[in-house]
Amino acid sequence: QVHLVESGGGLVQAGGSLRLSCAASGLTFSTYAMGWFRQAPGKEREFVSAISRSGSTTANANSVKGRFTISRDNAKNTVYLQMNSLRPEDTAVYYCAAQNFLYPSGYSAYERDWRSWGQGTQVTVSS
């Protein structure tokens, strides 16, 4: 059974940085694409970033391009989300997701395509 545990969330001032981590277990990590989604109060969960199982392909939502970077360490079964230049609108619960897409470069920006989810970590950006 896939188990994902996020960490690294917290309270930060606008313009600051945070690095989220997601530790995965119960899977062959190198065969899974990893993603980050977020859900702000009163809003639907939305795609933030993803990285293919090979690590060769990454994708970011337009709202975070140039500010957030996703990476993975297959030796540690961990995916990271480096968040810089944070804005109050980045405030949300951030969720890690995992899925073994068919192709090595595969990923998806759609929540419905990801089967395994973590419990989330709160990120709050003050103005």
Side-chain angles (χ1 to χ4, degrees):
Q1 185 173 353
V2 177
H3 189 49
L4 305 174
V5 178
E6 302 96 335
S7 62
L11 173 64
V12 64
Q13 289 188 330
S17 299
L18 284 174
R19 188 176 81 154
L20 305 184
S21 300
C22 173
S25 59
L27 76 169
T28 303
F29 186 73
S30 61
T31 68
Y32 277 71
M34 302 298 295
W36 288 97
F37 288 74
R38 67 186 182 186
Q39 187 167 21
K43 295 187 177 181
E44 294 186 351
R45 190 151 55 181
E46 65 175 4
F47 171 75
V48 175
S49 189
I51 185 167
S52 63
R53 67 176 189 249
S54 68
S56 62
T57 301
T58 61
N60 293 289
N62 288 335
S63 58
V64 306
K65 279 182 180 177
R67 301 187 299 122
F68 291 12
T69 302
I70 190 170
S71 62
R72 64 189 295 157
D73 186 337
N74 286 353
K76 295 183 177 180
N77 284 12
T78 301
V79 63
Y80 304 97
L81 185 68
Q82 178 66 44
M83 305 187 296
N84 298 328
S85 302
L86 283 162
R87 305 167 180 169
E89 54 263 40
D90 294 318
T91 294
V93 177
Y94 283 71
Y95 296 92
C96 176
Q99 181 60 36
N100 54 343
F101 293 100
L102 179 62
Y103 299 105
S105 60
Y107 71 94
S108 174
Y110 296 99
E111 180 181 355
R112 64 176 182 264
D113 293 330
W114 298 81
R115 180 176 299 175
S116 301
W117 294 85
Q119 293 300 306
T121 185
Q122 177 70 46
V123 171
T124 303
V125 184
S126 64
S127 57

